[in-house]
């Protein structure tokens, strides 16, 4: 049985999707006003672990992630740069999708853009006006939180000091300012706006997630994820808008991942401790080590990112990789199978699944795998282990890697590559990360001349040889 912590109830609860075998999942996506930092990717990797585990357990998933391409921050950025909003956000969208591929995050089924769903948002706002939950003030439209008694249930804010009728127009604000929030903002000089049946203007941030989640997943769906900083005001406001409009429960399970801090401090541009993926890759980090680090800390714990913990993650992942490569080398005596091996695999699989089924307790799942490595290594050392055993163990590791996604594709074993080729492949990946496509193309061409073809697949980079490996040496 799968159990998840539900922010709404404050408890770990059994998880059962609305329709058997299929999970409807909404995850708040990026605001594309800048490059995403590793704190953002912590949330996306957590959501990827959740989704991959559900798939592993045999569920189908429908996954929607919105792209916020109009809000206070994107408009400010476009105006500062003096370019159209769409042109400004395009670059950051592309960088985001590139990072997702690099981190082996499975793509969502739909990535709806806010600017492409204005009519859906307008329909909800009009409904909220008609039902008396929203009101007009000076050309804008606000949600009246006094009309929605359940307001504050998710974030557990205290409403005793609530002063009805006070308004906040900003998309993001602190818990101290619990106010009526903007659904629709009046046109302002220099800001993009839409002519609609509720008047000219542009949407607030929160309404887009209410509109786009219900369009693609229905009025009530299974899981809504985000970072803890989304709980208030963003998710609180989503609930108010959606439930006031539909009269139905909005989301069954709310899951939020905790912050990532760097060297014990909150990330900020001014402190210079806010890293993007390109920053880390430029410093020589392997993005899959970063993925392993992000997923190997339980999602409800604060993650303190330091160069030491990244090095530890690298070393732990290396242990699993070396073990897998040894199993896949294929040089053991053929045919022999040790009956203990299938018991060990069964025990490790149970430990792995039980850990993740317990509110994604990844530490227990990884412990089960490392215990498995130790036990199998003992068998190998005592020579009670044949080729058939190695294949069964390797197949098991490949199976759990559909959840972890930390191994290279089969056949891509780092030690099989001459070091100069491996470093050229790495340099080409780095160049792509840093958007130096000219250099990336040149390196790719050089690799082709040396008989290595690169393919970018949804599971990451693959390579294959076009010539026998000895030939380059003449
Ligand atoms: Zn959202």
């Amino acid at each position: 049985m799968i159990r998840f912590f539900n922010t709404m109830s404050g408890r770990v609860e059994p998880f059962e999707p609305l329709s058997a075998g299929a999970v409807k999942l909404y995850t708040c996506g990026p605001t594309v006003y800048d490059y995403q930092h590793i704190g953002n990717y912590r949330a996306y990797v957590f959501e990827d672990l959740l989704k991959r585990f559900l798939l592993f357990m045999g569920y189908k998933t429908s996954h929607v992630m919105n792209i916020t391409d109009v809000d206070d921050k994107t408009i400010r950025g476009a105006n500062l740069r003096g370019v159209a909003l769409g042109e400004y956000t395009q670059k950051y969208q592309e960088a985001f999708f590139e990072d997702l591929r690099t981190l082996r995050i499975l793509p969502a089924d739909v990535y709806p853009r806010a600017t492409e769903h204005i009519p859906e948002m307008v329909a909800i706002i009009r409904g909220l006006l008609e039902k008396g939950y929203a009101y007009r003030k000076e050309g804008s439209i606000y949600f009246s939180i006094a009309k929605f008694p359940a307001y504050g249930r998710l974030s557990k804010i205290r409403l005793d000091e609530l002063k009805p009728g006070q308004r906040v127009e900003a998309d993001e604000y602190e818990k101290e300012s619990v106010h009526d929030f903007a659904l629709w903002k009046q046109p302002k000089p220099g800001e993009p706006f839409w002519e609609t049946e509720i008047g000219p203007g542009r949407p607030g941030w929160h309404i887009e997630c209410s509109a786009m989640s219900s369009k693609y997943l229905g009025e009530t769906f299974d899981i809504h994820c985000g970072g803890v900083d989304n709980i208030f005001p963003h998710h609180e406001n989503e609930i108010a808008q959606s439930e006031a409009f539909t009269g139905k429960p909005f989301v069954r399970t709310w899951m939020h991942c905790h912050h990532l801090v760097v060297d014990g401090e909150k990330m900020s541009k001014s402190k210079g401790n806010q890293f993007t993926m390109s920053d880390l890759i430029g410093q020589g980090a392997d993005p899959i080590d970063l993925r392993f680090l992000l997923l190997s800390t339980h999602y409800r714990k604060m993650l303190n990112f330091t160069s030491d913990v990244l090095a530890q993650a690298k070393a732990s992942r290396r242990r699993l990789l070396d073990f897998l490569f040894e199993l896949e080398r294929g040089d053991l005596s053929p045919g022999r199978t040790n009956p203990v091996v299938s018991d060990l695999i069964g025990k490790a699989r149970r430990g792995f699944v039980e850990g993740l089924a317990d509110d994604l307790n990844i530490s227990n799942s990884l412990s089960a795998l490392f215990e498995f490595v130790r036990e199998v290594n003992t068998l190998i050392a005592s020579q009670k282990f044949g080729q058939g055993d190695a294949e069964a163990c390797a197949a098991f590791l490949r199976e759990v890697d559909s959840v972890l996604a930390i191994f290279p594709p089969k056949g891509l074993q780092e030690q099989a590559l001459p070091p100069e080729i491996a470093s050229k492949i790495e340099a080409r990946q780095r160049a792509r990360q840093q958007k130096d496509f000219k250099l990336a193309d040149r390196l790719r061409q050089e690799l082709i001349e040396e008989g290595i073809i690169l393919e970018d697949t949804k599971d990451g980079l693959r390579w294959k040889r076009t010539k026998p490996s000895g030939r380059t040496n003449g």
Side-chain angles (χ1 to χ4, degrees):
M1 195 219 291
I2 299 179
R3 294 159 11 112
F4 293 137
F5 182 86
N6 187 348
T7 309
M8 182 61 89
S9 68
R11 282 194 305 268
V12 176
E13 300 172 345
F15 173 73
E16 222 25 273
L18 259 180
S19 43
V23 178
K24 294 191 167 163
L25 171 69
Y26 188 89
T27 59
C28 284
T31 302
V32 282
Y33 75 105
D34 199 350
Y35 296 109
Q36 299 287 295
H37 55 67
I38 54 169
N40 304 122
Y41 287 113
R42 181 180 192 201
Y44 304 136
V45 167
F46 141 64
E47 291 154 0
D48 190 54
L49 177 67
L50 168 67
K51 177 170 154 185
R52 283 173 176 272
F53 177 60
L54 291 168
L55 291 167
F56 183 86
M57 297 303 283
Y59 290 99
K60 287 198 184 97
T61 58
S62 305
H63 176 200
V64 177
M65 178 187 273
N66 64 304
I67 305 286
T68 302
D69 58 355
V70 54
D71 81 320
D72 297 348
K73 288 190 282 195
T74 45
I75 291 172
R76 201 181 311 131
N79 286 348
L80 275 175
R81 201 88 42 97
V83 295
L85 184 64
E87 186 186 332
Y88 177 76
T89 58
Q90 184 62 30
K91 175 170 112 178
Y92 299 115
Q93 290 192 47
E94 283 167 15
F96 171 68
F97 288 118
E98 176 78 28
D99 286 347
L100 291 191
R101 282 190 292 273
T102 304
L103 283 169
R104 298 188 187 161
I105 292 172
L106 293 178
D109 299 288
V110 197
Y111 289 104
R113 271 75 172 172
T115 54
E116 292 166 2
H117 293 76
I118 303 294
E120 288 86 344
M121 297 185 224
V122 165
I124 296 179
I125 297 170
R126 209 184 65 174
L128 291 172
L129 281 167
E130 283 163 6
K131 290 173 193 221
Y133 288 102
Y135 61 92
R136 293 178 184 271
K137 186 83 185 176
E138 288 151 10
S140 294
I141 301 173
Y142 295 88
F143 187 94
S144 171
I145 57 176
K147 298 269 169 61
F148 187 74
Y151 195 85
R153 218 172 25 166
L154 180 74
S155 55
K156 326 286 187 260
I157 45 165
R158 293 163 53 98
L159 292 176
D160 14 353
E161 297 199 6
L162 178 67
K163 297 185 187 86
Q166 291 201 0
R167 286 169 299 280
V168 56
E169 190 165 277
D171 285 328
E172 290 169 87
Y173 46 92
E174 301 297 318
K175 270 192 186 176
E176 291 69 49
S177 65
V178 187
H179 290 321
D180 292 354
F181 58 91
L183 298 163
W184 189 252
K185 304 185 187 191
Q186 61 167 328
K188 287 191 198 118
E191 287 196 354
F193 68 95
W194 285 261
E195 285 291 354
T196 73
E197 54 184 295
I198 53 170
R202 59 147 173 125
W205 170 34
H206 317 294
I207 192 70
E208 71 175 86
C209 286
S210 284
M212 302 196 288
S213 61
S214 61
K215 173 169 181 177
Y216 296 99
L217 299 174
E219 290 173 339
T220 303
F221 57 92
D222 297 302
I223 305 179
H224 193 316
C225 296
V228 286
D229 48 354
N230 287 144
I231 297 174
F232 187 88
H234 185 49
H235 291 165
E236 198 68 76
N237 292 352
E238 280 185 42
I239 295 169
Q241 298 161 156
S242 292
E243 298 195 351
F245 179 66
T246 67
K248 294 176 190 153
F250 177 42
V251 167
R252 290 158 54 92
T253 304
W254 287 92
M255 296 178 74
H256 294 97
C257 89
H258 211 304
H259 289 123
L260 177 148
V261 295
V262 175
D263 295 318
E265 289 195 71
K266 199 171 186 297
M267 268 190 300
S268 79
K269 266 195 177 158
S270 55
K271 281 187 205 144
N273 66 354
Q274 182 167 299
F275 299 110
T276 63
M277 287 285 293
S278 309
D279 294 336
L280 286 176
I281 292 169
Q283 291 165 18
D286 179 332
I288 306 305
D289 289 332
L290 177 66
R291 175 184 170 88
F292 188 54
L293 168 62
L294 294 179
L295 66 76
S296 59
T297 303
H298 188 250
Y299 75 97
R300 288 197 289 121
K301 290 196 183 119
M302 174 91 78
L303 195 165
N304 186 15
F305 181 86
T306 65
S307 50
D308 281 353
V309 296
L310 184 59
Q312 281 162 25
K314 188 185 181 73
S316 301
R317 178 173 162 251
R318 190 75 241 177
R319 267 165 63 209
L320 291 171
L321 280 182
D322 288 342
F323 178 64
L324 177 68
F325 291 161
E326 189 174 342
L327 295 171
E328 288 182 345
R329 202 183 298 142
D331 56 2
L332 291 158
S333 52
R336 203 172 52 177
T337 48
N338 187 329
V340 175
V341 168
S342 62
D343 292 346
L344 291 182
I345 292 174
K347 189 176 85 169
R349 183 186 281 112
R350 269 195 310 282
F352 182 78
V353 169
E354 277 168 13
L356 287 171
D358 179 18
D359 191 32
L360 299 182
N361 189 332
I362 184 73
S363 310
N364 286 359
S365 294
L366 292 176
S367 299
L369 291 188
F370 283 110
E371 177 69 16
F372 175 71
V373 173
R374 267 190 302 276
E375 289 167 333
V376 171
N377 274 332
T378 309
L379 287 185
I380 296 175
S382 61
Q383 308 204 329
K384 291 175 187 152
F385 196 78
Q387 184 58 33
D389 301 320
E391 283 164 17
C393 291
F396 165 63
L397 288 179
R398 291 283 174 194
E399 187 193 338
V400 298
D401 197 50
S402 70
V403 180
L404 301 174
I406 55 166
F407 295 146
K410 199 169 176 185
L412 204 165
Q413 298 188 0
E414 282 128 299
Q415 56 266 66
L417 272 177
E420 69 276 12
I421 300 272
S423 64
K424 206 169 265 186
I425 292 177
E426 266 176 38
R428 183 254 181 185
Q429 290 305 85
R430 232 181 342 260
R432 271 172 67 92
Q433 274 292 325
Q434 291 161 354
K435 313 289 166 215
D436 187 347
F437 295 110
K438 236 167 118 179
L439 175 62
D441 281 348
R442 204 192 74 217
L443 290 168
R444 169 179 239 184
Q445 200 50 44
E446 286 180 25
L447 285 161
I448 289 172
E449 281 156 24
E450 302 190 51
I452 301 286
I453 291 184
L454 299 182
E455 290 173 334
D456 294 297
T457 74
K458 66 174 172 38
D459 300 319
L461 182 78
R462 284 168 190 268
W463 63 270
K464 59 183 183 215
R465 284 188 193 282
T466 55
K467 309 174 195 172
S469 53
R471 239 182 94 179
T472 46
N473 297 329

